[in-house]
Amino acid sequence: MHVRLAILLCLIVVLAGCGRRLSVDTVPTGFPTPTVAPFFLERPMATPFIPPPTRTPFPTRPPVTQAAETGSGQTNDIRSLQVFPVYRDELSAGWSIDNSALLGSLTLTQTNVVALGQHAIAVTPSESTGILFFTITPDSGIKLRRDQVAALRLRLSGGDTPIANDGMTISVVGSNRVPYWEPNDNSVSLEGRVTDSTEPLFPETRLYFLGLNRAIAPGEWAEIYVWLDDLIYEPDYTYVTGFYLKTSSDLVTKYYVDQVEWLVRDQP
């Protein structure tokens, strides 16, 4: 009798120990099975922001920042500057685009993509670098003195295609001899520059150096300011005689220009 009782107690102790081990090894119900898989899943790529098309131009530099004095003691407060149009629906008297080169097409009366008014300039560059060149004609009577010209302002669009902010350059040219443009004018020079250098004498400035911090989106007009005092490596000259936009078809397939004008300080 005592032996049977001892055997029964031993069996109870053994079964109790097994029950405790089973309770430790068994995953509790109601909790997810542990796994490391989520740490190795690929993260979704962020969708890049694409600005919506707009017909409202954005300035390359807010005009309010131009109130500071220049090195000559003059001010560039846009409210005090006179506006001299070059193109508003048509080319102003005394200006020519006949010296443009390497363009597939050029029209001054395009009506499909317009910033203001009824017309804009439409340009298709060729495969080579095309130049839309605005120049003052010899019989114009226009005199734009470099020390009085504050800025060139224009509106630019790619129509239904974007224009990258490194896809185009703008250059302002001048003379020390005459107030109009003429070919082979060698009156301006840079100190230390070889006279027959193939490099441009006047700086060709990309749009991003003019403050354009992103591409001009399809359907958008950008208002471009070229402040002459901000140009780097500009030679000394007396008269502004023209300016040009330069690009090629592999960078910009087609572009539109409107509301082109000079901002000029009052004569002293």
Side-chain angles (χ1 to χ4, degrees):
M1 180 67 180
H2 293 288
V3 173
R4 289 179 179 178
L5 181 60
I7 293 173
L8 181 60
L9 289 174
C10 290
L11 289 173
I12 292 173
V13 171
V14 170
L15 291 173
C18 291
R20 283 194 297 272
R21 286 195 296 272
L22 289 173
S23 64
V24 171
D25 295 339
T26 303
V27 177
T29 60
F31 292 90
T33 302
T35 174
V36 295
F39 294 100
F40 297 95
L41 293 178
E42 293 185 2
R43 295 178 178 271
M45 295 297 293
T47 302
F49 171 74
I50 301 176
T54 173
R55 291 182 62 84
T56 303
F58 56 94
T60 54
R61 187 197 295 186
V64 69
T65 65
Q66 290 301 313
E69 287 193 354
T70 65
S72 60
Q74 298 168 313
T75 63
N76 282 341
D77 185 346
I78 198 168
R79 295 166 299 182
S80 66
L81 298 176
Q82 300 181 51
V83 177
F84 285 81
V86 177
Y87 178 89
R88 287 181 179 175
D89 279 340
E90 62 182 2
L91 202 61
S92 298
W95 286 91
S96 171
I97 57 169
D98 292 345
N99 296 291
S100 301
L102 300 175
L103 299 179
S105 65
L106 172 61
T107 177
L108 296 175
T109 56
Q110 187 278 143
T111 58
N112 294 328
V113 183
V114 178
L116 293 172
Q118 297 179 339
H119 298 142
I121 302 172
V123 184
T124 302
S126 67
E127 293 181 1
S128 301
T129 301
I131 297 176
L132 173 62
F133 201 173
F134 296 80
T135 57
I136 298 176
T137 60
D139 58 352
S140 67
I142 298 173
K143 289 186 179 181
L144 290 175
R145 290 188 58 88
R146 168 61 186 86
D147 58 359
Q148 296 300 319
V149 175
L152 170 68
R153 179 170 64 186
L154 57 90
R155 302 192 187 200
L156 179 66
S157 176
D160 57 2
T161 59
I163 297 180
N165 61 356
D166 63 348
M168 179 180 293
T169 61
I170 300 178
S171 183
V172 177
V173 303
S175 173
N176 278 322
R177 183 170 57 239
V178 291
Y180 52 85
W181 186 85
E182 60 179 9
N184 303 317
D185 186 337
N186 59 3
S187 63
V188 181
S189 62
L190 276 172
E191 185 177 355
R193 168 69 71 85
V194 178
T195 55
D196 61 351
S197 172
T198 57
E199 295 296 321
L201 178 62
F202 296 90
E204 296 181 341
T205 308
R206 294 191 183 275
L207 298 178
Y208 59 77
F209 276 121
L210 299 174
L212 208 64
N213 62 357
R214 63 173 172 84
I216 303 173
E220 186 174 48
W221 282 93
E223 189 170 39
I224 308 295
Y225 286 84
V226 184
W227 296 96
L228 270 61
D229 290 341
D230 289 348
L231 298 178
I232 301 175
Y233 307 123
E234 185 190 37
D236 293 327
Y237 59 96
T238 304
Y239 302 104
V240 172
T241 59
F243 63 95
Y244 60 82
L245 283 68
K246 185 176 181 180
T247 189
S248 57
S249 60
D250 60 332
L251 297 174
V252 180
T253 56
K254 193 169 186 177
Y255 64 92
Y256 304 85
V257 181
D258 202 355
Q259 301 298 303
V260 185
E261 52 204 12
W262 294 101
L263 303 180
V264 181
R265 307 181 189 100
D266 290 332
Q267 299 296 321

